[in-house]
Amino acid sequence: MWRAEAGPLHYLRGHWVREARSELIVSNGRIQQIRPLRPGRDAARSVVLPGFHDSHLHLRAAAAAKLSVDLSASSSIPALLASLRSRAGDFEGRWIRGWGWDESTLKERRAPTIAEIDSVTASQPCALHHRTGKVVILNSAAWRILTDPDSGSNSIEEPLRADAALLQKMPRQPENSVESALADLSCELAAAGVTSVTDATATNTWDDIARMDEWVRRGVVRQRVNALLAFDQVSAVSGSEGGMQTHGTVRVLGAKVAAPADGIAERVRHVRGYGWPVAVHATEPDELEAALAAIEECGPPTWGRDRIEHLGLPLPGHLERIRAGRIAVTTNPAFVTERAQKYRELLSAVEQEWLYPLRSVLAQGIPLAAASDRPVTSATPLGTMAAAVHRRPRAGGAEPLGAEERVTPDEALALVTDRAEVDGSALDRQGGRGSLASNLHLNADLVLLSDDPRRLLEDTKVLATFVGGHAIWGSPEVG
């Protein structure tokens, strides 16, 4: 048995309130008692609050990234190739997989060529996934395996779109390896205080969601899991027109739409034909315009809430239309900090001010949540908070990117905790963003921190994480 003293933080109608210190008694991995301590004792620095939620990530992709050569730190093509060469032996008899390259962080400001990759991979098939997940580079050996020798085509292309039909022929990672990596990922999330996630993968089938349920039931993933379903899978779900779907432990929040701007309207119409809400990927202005026009044409869903994922670069008037449509937004503050150099190089000064807005979204009363988009970033909730407040890399002393879009620490904390309105499960709330004041109980999802997260201290630690009152992170040394 162990005990911990902490000041509870409650989120009540848009404000965080710290109450008198309480004592948590934990035994056999479960909260057994929460009791207020006598007044007059010194205030504890540690706090307990509702568990963090990552509103947009990709579980299988994040696991696959763990099984790949990490290229995200490569600053040049020679460095990238050196990383591949050093790890090639680990993939003997299998495809070499790399993840995380990004031309904007490479000195050459370009992707590696097929010839350059061939120089270190030889006859071993290799696939290198861009950090955004949008494109993949294959080496010559991979092209020879995947293309039909009888087709008469000998052309070898440079980066392929990640949804290219050719890539469906690639062998999948062994399921036991994926599950092992998922367990590691879940542990990392728990250590960061994350108690629930939403898998926003655009290709999720009902079988994929059933597999997520199995991961949760078997303890491979210890967080609560929500998911989005691929737009073309809605028709296959029995009773899809009747309301929010679940598969065991997994709630399905709507259908994911990710397409070029000229293909968004057709997909939104298809989904809305079944009454479902959509979650539309929109990092570019034309994608956002197409999404809003289609949603306005189709009218509201019969259940849940439409979402805009990312909201990378809204133009004047877009936020007003999002508010009018009662649409929620899930965004990524870490994009601004991790890609600051890229945005400063590619965007005008005006565009930089509009980039991934936060303050303007909240000012419109739009439900807003923040997320990591793992594996695109590995941002923790505490790191996401810092990015939302500062909007600049922690190192280097750079000026904020879009300083007017910074939020307060209280607002930033709400972005990684209160998700009910964004998920569409609190549409009838009155008087603001609702209350988490009742969440301190024996069966709650909670995180115990060494300090108040609103202080944004780099040494703030997650001492324990609880899902349904069960500890998924922490040790007897906590108290």
Side-chain angles (χ1 to χ4, degrees):
M1 182 172 73
W2 57 270
R3 58 182 288 277
E5 296 181 8
L9 273 179
H10 294 315
Y11 186 54
L12 181 63
R13 298 186 181 278
H15 299 283
W16 287 95
V17 179
R18 184 166 180 171
E19 297 189 349
R21 186 167 51 164
S22 293
E23 183 178 51
L24 281 72
I25 307 298
V26 180
S27 179
N28 297 320
R30 181 174 177 80
I31 299 174
Q32 302 294 338
Q33 191 174 7
I34 301 175
R35 61 192 182 197
L37 293 175
R38 294 190 307 273
R41 300 178 62 172
D42 293 337
R45 293 287 295 273
S46 56
V47 298
V48 61
L49 66 152
F52 297 133
H53 178 64
D54 195 326
S55 296
H56 181 121
L57 53 59
H58 308 276
L59 289 171
R60 182 175 282 275
K66 284 181 165 294
L67 300 172
S68 305
V69 182
D70 186 356
L71 305 174
S72 61
S74 300
S75 59
S76 67
I77 288 175
L80 182 152
L81 297 175
S83 294
L84 277 180
R85 183 184 292 109
S86 69
R87 290 285 310 280
D90 298 343
F91 295 83
E92 186 173 357
R94 298 181 290 124
W95 281 58
I96 301 172
R97 297 174 188 264
W99 175 87
W101 67 273
D102 187 335
E103 68 282 359
S104 70
T105 64
L106 298 175
K107 182 177 67 176
E108 297 83 358
R109 294 294 190 271
R110 64 171 176 84
T113 66
I114 293 174
E116 288 169 334
I117 301 170
D118 285 349
S119 71
V120 296
T121 57
S123 60
Q124 204 167 350
C126 177
L128 305 185
H129 297 258
H130 194 273
R131 185 174 184 178
T132 63
K134 291 183 177 181
V135 295
V136 181
I137 303 176
L138 302 177
N139 71 349
S140 298
W143 276 102
R144 286 193 293 271
I145 291 171
L146 297 183
T147 53
D148 182 358
D150 299 324
S151 66
S153 173
N154 296 315
S155 63
I156 293 181
E157 301 177 31
E158 292 298 332
L160 283 169
R161 280 182 56 92
D163 58 0
L166 186 69
L167 295 177
Q168 301 306 310
K169 301 179 182 180
M170 283 178 55
R172 299 190 79 176
Q173 301 275 23
E175 195 64 23
N176 61 337
S177 298
V178 170
E179 290 197 0
S180 177
L182 274 170
D184 290 344
L185 173 67
S186 180
C187 187
E188 287 180 15
L189 292 169
V194 177
T195 58
S196 57
V197 300
T198 294
D199 188 295
T201 305
T203 56
N204 277 337
T205 65
W206 197 242
D207 286 342
D208 291 326
I209 290 172
R211 195 166 293 109
M212 293 178 203
D213 175 51
E214 182 183 348
W215 293 335
V216 174
R217 290 182 183 278
R218 292 197 287 110
V220 176
V221 175
R222 305 187 71 184
Q223 286 73 23
R224 299 186 193 274
V225 176
N226 304 317
L228 298 171
L229 187 68
F231 85 97
D232 58 354
Q233 297 291 303
V234 174
S235 59
V237 177
S238 176
S240 60
E241 70 281 3
M244 183 177 290
Q245 300 293 300
T246 61
H247 194 301
T249 62
V250 180
R251 288 194 313 157
V252 181
L253 305 180
K256 179 69 177 287
V257 172
D262 60 3
I264 288 175
E266 180 182 356
R267 297 186 178 196
V268 171
R269 292 189 201 104
H270 173 81
V271 172
R272 197 62 106 241
Y274 295 89
W276 276 46
V278 292
V280 185
H281 172 102
T283 58
E284 303 294 335
D286 58 343
E287 295 170 338
L288 180 57
E289 175 61 33
L292 294 177
I295 290 171
E296 290 162 352
E297 173 194 334
C298 292
T302 58
W303 59 271
R305 177 168 243 153
D306 291 324
R307 290 168 43 159
I308 297 297
E309 306 297 300
H310 309 303
L311 193 70
L313 196 60
L315 300 180
H318 278 158
L319 295 187
E320 289 79 3
R321 292 166 66 187
I322 291 172
R323 179 193 62 200
R326 302 187 74 196
I327 302 167
V329 170
T330 298
T331 191
N332 315 94
F335 285 7
V336 174
T337 57
E338 294 192 9
R339 302 175 180 178
Q341 179 181 346
K342 173 182 179 178
Y343 295 143
R344 292 185 196 281
E345 292 176 358
L346 297 180
L347 300 180
S348 69
V350 172
E351 289 172 323
Q352 291 176 27
E353 294 298 320
W354 295 342
L355 186 67
Y356 290 98
L358 300 173
R359 164 65 52 210
S360 298
V361 177
L362 292 178
Q364 290 282 348
I366 297 167
L368 178 66
S372 69
D373 199 16
R374 283 177 181 252
V376 178
T377 80
S378 58
T380 65
L382 293 176
T384 294
M385 283 183 62
V389 172
H390 298 308
R391 290 182 69 91
R392 65 169 180 260
R394 290 194 174 188
E399 290 296 314
L401 199 62
E404 295 301 315
E405 293 300 334
R406 292 177 293 188
V407 296
T408 69
D410 279 74
E411 291 166 332
L413 182 55
L415 297 183
V416 295
T417 50
D418 187 13
R419 72 178 197 274
E421 286 189 294
V422 173
D423 285 357
S425 55
L427 297 184
D428 296 327
R429 279 185 175 165
Q430 300 294 323
R433 282 178 57 86
S435 169
L436 293 172
S438 62
N439 273 27
L440 188 61
H441 55 78
L442 298 184
N443 298 317
D445 296 350
L446 301 171
V447 59
L448 177 66
L449 303 176
S450 63
D451 211 320
D452 189 326
R454 296 172 296 175
R455 299 180 69 197
L456 301 176
L457 301 176
E458 291 194 26
D459 61 352
T460 298
K461 295 179 176 58
V462 175
L463 302 177
T465 305
F466 301 90
V467 172
H470 293 272
I472 65 169
W473 174 261
S475 69
E477 287 74 30
V478 169

